[in-house]
Short mmCIF file of all heavy atoms in Angstrom, two decimals:
data_model
loop_
_atom_site.label_atom_id
_atom_site.label_comp_id
_atom_site.label_asym_id
_atom_site.label_seq_id
_atom_site.Cartn_x
_atom_site.Cartn_y
_atom_site.Cartn_z
N ASN D 64 69.14 98.35 65.74
CA ASN D 64 68.94 98.82 67.11
C ASN D 64 70.22 99.45 67.64
O ASN D 64 71.31 98.90 67.46
CB ASN D 64 68.53 97.67 68.02
CG ASN D 64 67.13 97.15 67.74
OD1 ASN D 64 66.29 97.88 67.20
ND2 ASN D 64 66.86 95.92 68.10
N VAL D 65 70.06 100.59 68.30
CA VAL D 65 71.19 101.26 68.96
C VAL D 65 70.95 101.17 70.46
O VAL D 65 69.89 101.55 70.96
CB VAL D 65 71.29 102.74 68.52
CG1 VAL D 65 72.43 103.44 69.28
CG2 VAL D 65 71.52 102.83 67.01
N TYR D 66 71.94 100.66 71.18
CA TYR D 66 71.79 100.38 72.61
C TYR D 66 72.58 101.38 73.45
O TYR D 66 73.65 101.85 73.05
CB TYR D 66 72.30 98.97 72.92
CG TYR D 66 71.58 97.89 72.15
CD1 TYR D 66 72.07 97.44 70.92
CD2 TYR D 66 70.41 97.31 72.64
CE1 TYR D 66 71.42 96.43 70.21
CE2 TYR D 66 69.75 96.31 71.94
CZ TYR D 66 70.27 95.88 70.71
OH TYR D 66 69.62 94.90 70.01
N ALA D 67 72.04 101.66 74.65
CA ALA D 67 72.79 102.48 75.61
C ALA D 67 74.07 101.74 75.96
O ALA D 67 74.04 100.56 76.33
CB ALA D 67 71.95 102.73 76.86
N ALA D 68 75.19 102.43 75.87
CA ALA D 68 76.48 101.78 76.11
C ALA D 68 76.70 101.46 77.59
O ALA D 68 77.52 100.62 77.93
CB ALA D 68 77.62 102.65 75.59
N ALA D 69 75.96 102.15 78.48
CA ALA D 69 76.06 101.90 79.92
C ALA D 69 74.86 102.56 80.60
O ALA D 69 74.11 103.30 79.97
CB ALA D 69 77.37 102.46 80.48
N ASP D 70 74.68 102.28 81.89
CA ASP D 70 73.60 102.92 82.66
C ASP D 70 73.80 104.43 82.65
O ASP D 70 74.94 104.92 82.62
CB ASP D 70 73.61 102.43 84.11
CG ASP D 70 73.24 100.97 84.25
OD1 ASP D 70 72.76 100.39 83.26
OD2 ASP D 70 73.42 100.42 85.35
N GLY D 71 72.72 105.16 82.70
CA GLY D 71 72.79 106.61 82.76
C GLY D 71 71.44 107.22 82.46
O GLY D 71 70.39 106.61 82.72
N TYR D 72 71.45 108.43 81.91
CA TYR D 72 70.20 109.08 81.53
C TYR D 72 70.42 109.92 80.28
O TYR D 72 71.52 110.43 80.04
CB TYR D 72 69.64 109.94 82.67
CG TYR D 72 70.43 111.20 82.98
CD1 TYR D 72 70.06 112.44 82.45
CD2 TYR D 72 71.56 111.15 83.81
CE1 TYR D 72 70.77 113.59 82.75
CE2 TYR D 72 72.28 112.30 84.11
CZ TYR D 72 71.88 113.51 83.56
OH TYR D 72 72.59 114.66 83.85
N VAL D 73 69.37 110.03 79.48
CA VAL D 73 69.44 110.87 78.29
C VAL D 73 69.48 112.32 78.76
O VAL D 73 68.52 112.82 79.34
CB VAL D 73 68.24 110.62 77.35
CG1 VAL D 73 68.30 111.57 76.16
CG2 VAL D 73 68.22 109.17 76.89
N SER D 74 70.61 112.96 78.53
CA SER D 74 70.81 114.32 79.04
C SER D 74 70.58 115.38 77.98
O SER D 74 70.38 116.55 78.30
CB SER D 74 72.22 114.46 79.61
OG SER D 74 73.19 114.07 78.65
N ARG D 75 70.60 114.96 76.71
CA ARG D 75 70.50 115.95 75.64
C ARG D 75 70.08 115.27 74.34
O ARG D 75 70.46 114.12 74.08
CB ARG D 75 71.85 116.64 75.45
CG ARG D 75 71.96 117.65 74.34
CD ARG D 75 73.39 118.20 74.33
NE ARG D 75 73.72 118.93 73.14
CZ ARG D 75 74.96 119.26 72.76
NH1 ARG D 75 75.98 118.89 73.51
NH2 ARG D 75 75.19 119.94 71.66
N ILE D 76 69.30 115.97 73.56
CA ILE D 76 68.92 115.53 72.23
C ILE D 76 69.00 116.74 71.31
O ILE D 76 68.65 117.86 71.71
CB ILE D 76 67.49 114.93 72.21
CG1 ILE D 76 67.50 113.51 72.78
CG2 ILE D 76 66.91 114.90 70.80
CD1 ILE D 76 66.14 112.92 72.99
N LYS D 77 69.47 116.50 70.10
CA LYS D 77 69.50 117.58 69.12
C LYS D 77 69.13 117.01 67.76
O LYS D 77 69.66 115.98 67.34
CB LYS D 77 70.88 118.24 69.05
CG LYS D 77 70.92 119.49 68.16
CD LYS D 77 72.26 120.20 68.24
CE LYS D 77 72.23 121.50 67.42
NZ LYS D 77 73.52 122.22 67.49
N VAL D 78 68.20 117.67 67.09
CA VAL D 78 67.81 117.30 65.74
C VAL D 78 68.12 118.47 64.84
O VAL D 78 67.65 119.59 65.07
CB VAL D 78 66.32 116.93 65.65
CG1 VAL D 78 65.94 116.60 64.21
CG2 VAL D 78 65.99 115.76 66.57
N GLN D 79 68.94 118.23 63.80
CA GLN D 79 69.29 119.29 62.86
C GLN D 79 69.41 118.70 61.47
O GLN D 79 69.56 117.48 61.30
CB GLN D 79 70.60 119.97 63.28
CG GLN D 79 71.77 119.02 63.43
CD GLN D 79 73.02 119.69 63.97
OE1 GLN D 79 73.23 120.89 63.77
NE2 GLN D 79 73.87 118.94 64.64
N GLN D 80 69.32 119.57 60.47
CA GLN D 80 69.35 119.09 59.10
C GLN D 80 70.72 118.55 58.71
O GLN D 80 70.83 117.55 57.99
CB GLN D 80 68.97 120.24 58.14
CG GLN D 80 68.78 119.82 56.70
CD GLN D 80 67.70 118.77 56.53
OE1 GLN D 80 66.58 118.93 57.01
NE2 GLN D 80 68.03 117.67 55.87
N PHE D 81 71.79 119.19 59.21
CA PHE D 81 73.14 118.75 58.88
C PHE D 81 73.85 118.28 60.16
O PHE D 81 73.19 117.89 61.11
CB PHE D 81 73.89 119.87 58.17
CG PHE D 81 73.27 120.24 56.84
CD1 PHE D 81 72.40 121.33 56.73
CD2 PHE D 81 73.52 119.48 55.71
CE1 PHE D 81 71.82 121.66 55.51
CE2 PHE D 81 72.93 119.79 54.49
CZ PHE D 81 72.08 120.88 54.39
N GLY D 82 75.16 118.32 60.18
CA GLY D 82 75.89 117.88 61.37
C GLY D 82 75.58 116.43 61.72
O GLY D 82 75.61 115.55 60.85
N TYR D 83 75.26 116.19 62.99
CA TYR D 83 74.97 114.83 63.46
C TYR D 83 73.55 114.39 63.15
O TYR D 83 73.16 113.28 63.53
CB TYR D 83 75.21 114.73 64.96
CG TYR D 83 76.65 114.81 65.40
CD1 TYR D 83 76.99 114.81 66.75
CD2 TYR D 83 77.70 114.90 64.48
CE1 TYR D 83 78.31 114.89 67.17
CE2 TYR D 83 79.02 114.98 64.90
CZ TYR D 83 79.32 114.98 66.25
OH TYR D 83 80.62 115.06 66.65
N GLY D 84 72.76 115.24 62.49
CA GLY D 84 71.38 114.86 62.19
C GLY D 84 70.60 114.67 63.49
O GLY D 84 70.54 115.57 64.33
N LYS D 85 70.01 113.50 63.65
CA LYS D 85 69.35 113.17 64.92
C LYS D 85 70.40 112.58 65.86
O LYS D 85 70.99 111.54 65.57
CB LYS D 85 68.22 112.16 64.70
CG LYS D 85 67.04 112.74 63.92
CD LYS D 85 65.91 111.73 63.81
CE LYS D 85 64.72 112.34 63.08
NZ LYS D 85 63.59 111.39 62.98
N ALA D 86 70.63 113.26 66.97
CA ALA D 86 71.69 112.85 67.90
C ALA D 86 71.16 112.75 69.32
O ALA D 86 70.30 113.54 69.74
CB ALA D 86 72.85 113.86 67.85
N LEU D 87 71.69 111.78 70.05
CA LEU D 87 71.26 111.53 71.43
C LEU D 87 72.50 111.44 72.32
O LEU D 87 73.51 110.83 71.93
CB LEU D 87 70.46 110.22 71.46
CG LEU D 87 69.92 109.72 72.78
CD1 LEU D 87 68.55 109.07 72.56
CD2 LEU D 87 70.86 108.68 73.40
N TYR D 88 72.42 112.04 73.51
CA TYR D 88 73.53 112.08 74.45
C TYR D 88 73.10 111.40 75.74
O TYR D 88 72.04 111.72 76.29
CB TYR D 88 73.93 113.53 74.76
CG TYR D 88 74.37 114.35 73.56
CD1 TYR D 88 73.47 114.69 72.55
CD2 TYR D 88 75.68 114.81 73.45
CE1 TYR D 88 73.87 115.45 71.45
CE2 TYR D 88 76.09 115.57 72.37
CZ TYR D 88 75.18 115.88 71.38
OH TYR D 88 75.58 116.64 70.29
N ILE D 89 73.93 110.48 76.24
CA ILE D 89 73.64 109.81 77.52
C ILE D 89 74.76 110.13 78.50
O ILE D 89 75.94 109.88 78.22
CB ILE D 89 73.53 108.28 77.34
CG1 ILE D 89 72.37 107.94 76.39
CG2 ILE D 89 73.32 107.61 78.70
CD1 ILE D 89 72.25 106.46 76.10
N THR D 90 74.39 110.69 79.63
CA THR D 90 75.36 110.99 80.70
C THR D 90 75.39 109.81 81.66
O THR D 90 74.35 109.30 82.09
CB THR D 90 74.98 112.27 81.44
OG1 THR D 90 75.10 113.38 80.54
CG2 THR D 90 75.90 112.52 82.62
#
Side-chain angles (χ1 to χ4, degrees):
N64 290 336
V65 177
Y66 301 92
D70 293 348
Y72 70 97
V73 177
S74 54
R75 177 181 166 195
I76 283 171
K77 187 174 184 180
V78 178
Q79 56 186 332
Q80 188 60 51
F81 297 98
Y83 290 176
K85 291 184 178 181
L87 179 144
Y88 300 67
I89 298 176
T90 294

